[in-house]
């Protein structure tokens, strides 16, 4: 795994976790833009169909605050990156 990825935080990791980074044997996509920019999304075990769907990730730091979701879509030309497409309540 690339050293820059090893130092990154995984979406959904507990803020108290002393090691919130990626785990060996897991597959990650980088979230690009929006409120979760730079976090890694664990997509281990996702089907090809699920990987083509929009990920709607709960977050308190998006436009709608607590209860809101940030939407990300896998980039066709670079499947390791997921681009922000907006927020929803």
């Amino acid at each position: 795994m690339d050293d820059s990825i090893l130092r990154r935080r995984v979406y959904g990791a507990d803020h108290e976790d002393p090691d919130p980074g990626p785990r060996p044997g897991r597959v990650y996509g980088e979230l690009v833009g929006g409120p979760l920019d730079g976090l890694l999304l664990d997509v281990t075990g996702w089907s090809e169909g699920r990987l083509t769907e929009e990920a709607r990730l709960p977050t308190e730091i998006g436009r709608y605050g607590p209860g809101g979701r940030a939407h990300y879509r896998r980039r066709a030309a670079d499947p390791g990156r997921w681009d922000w497409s907006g927020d929803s309540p």
Side-chain angles (χ1 to χ4, degrees), residues 11 35-36 56-71 87-89:
Y11 167 78
L36 304 176
R56 297 177 186 114
L57 307 172
T59 182
E60 296 181 356
I61 60 174
R63 179 178 181 184
Y64 296 96
R69 294 180 181 272
H71 299 235
D87 293 339
S88 66

Side-chain angles (χ1 to χ4, degrees), residues 8 28-32 37-41 72 79-83:
R8 308 283 290 285
Y28 299 93
E30 178 184 3
L31 300 175
V32 179
D37 184 52
L39 294 180
L40 299 174
L41 178 63
Y72 288 85
R81 295 178 184 257
W82 290 65
D83 293 312

